[in-house]
Amino acid sequence: MNIFAGQNIYIPNNLREFFARYCQTRSEGSKNKIEDSPFPRMVDFWFLGLGIAAERNLQPIKTQEKKDTYNAIEGNVLSDDFRADSIMLFCISRHGSIDILDNPAEMLRFANSYALAGIYDLVSELTKINTGIDEPLDYLSNLCAKYLKTK
């Protein structure tokens, strides 16, 4: 059972172009090259943002008004066990109480505030490398290798 079904992930409008640029499937229906757009789906980009926020101990981004956001990801895509479980465990660890599990909508908003912090970091880094020789896929491969070496 997906506790996040019926919930949505809202992304600030100023990140829309980056989701379109770095995700292979875009809301317009076109596809990008994997070298330039290494994320198969928007939820993959978002989930890496959450992971980066956890790894770098980033502070959450303040929730924006709904008028300044767009509905980027439906909660039903979190149906795979590892993502939903990871989000729940992350929320417990950062919230400090298992009580957050009683409210899936609040849990997803809470996780989103951290994921956005990680996404802003990631976008900043990807934007810098886009002006150089590396492609986004190269950067992400190196980032994964770095994390694997340190663990």
Side-chain angles (χ1 to χ4, degrees), residues 43-70:
V43 70
D44 302 317
F45 188 32
W46 181 88
F47 196 72
L48 180 61
L50 183 62
I52 286 174
E55 173 68 26
R56 297 178 182 172
N57 203 27
L58 299 176
Q59 294 302 306
I61 297 292
K62 282 187 176 180
T63 305
Q64 295 185 322
E65 291 187 40
K66 221 173 202 175
K67 68 179 177 69
D68 298 325
T69 65
Y70 73 102

